[in-house]
């Protein structure tokens, strides 16, 4: 597998997730802290279910 989801607790005690490539680069992150590890895991599942074939759209600034 070329990437792994990681769940971790941040300095403020909130849970976050990040998607890490095998080379160590962070590909994506939750962008927000969750109150529980379960909620962070649900966020990962939401990304997996809702964006497996998401289109890429260019937007003007």
């Amino acid at each position: 597998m070329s990437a792994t989801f990681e769940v971790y607790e941040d300095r403020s005690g909130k849970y976050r997730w990040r998607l890490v490539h095998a080379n160590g680069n962070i590909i994506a992150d939750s962008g927000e802290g969750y109150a529980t590890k379960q909620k962070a895991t649900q966020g990962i599942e939401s990304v997996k279910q809702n964006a497996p074939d998401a289109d890429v759209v260019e937007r003007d600034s």
Side-chain angles (χ1 to χ4, degrees), residues 15-40:
Y15 292 91
R16 296 177 177 270
W17 61 261
R18 60 185 165 220
L19 182 59
V20 182
H21 190 275
N23 66 10
N25 289 341
I26 297 172
I27 299 169
D29 65 48
S30 58
E32 66 178 297
Y34 296 89
T36 65
K37 191 184 296 185
Q38 179 183 6
K39 291 292 185 186

Side-chain angles (χ1 to χ4, degrees), residues 8-61:
Y8 64 98
E9 190 173 355
D10 67 16
R11 291 182 183 161
S12 66
K14 301 237 176 169
Y15 292 91
R16 296 177 177 270
W17 61 261
R18 60 185 165 220
L19 182 59
V20 182
H21 190 275
N23 66 10
N25 289 341
I26 297 172
I27 299 169
D29 65 48
S30 58
E32 66 178 297
Y34 296 89
T36 65
K37 191 184 296 185
Q38 179 183 6
K39 291 292 185 186
T41 302
Q42 288 173 349
I44 292 169
E45 291 306 317
S46 177
V47 170
K48 289 173 146 183
Q49 290 175 9
N50 292 302
D53 299 316
D55 293 332
V56 175
V57 178
E58 280 191 46
R59 304 247 184 234
D60 293 331
S61 301

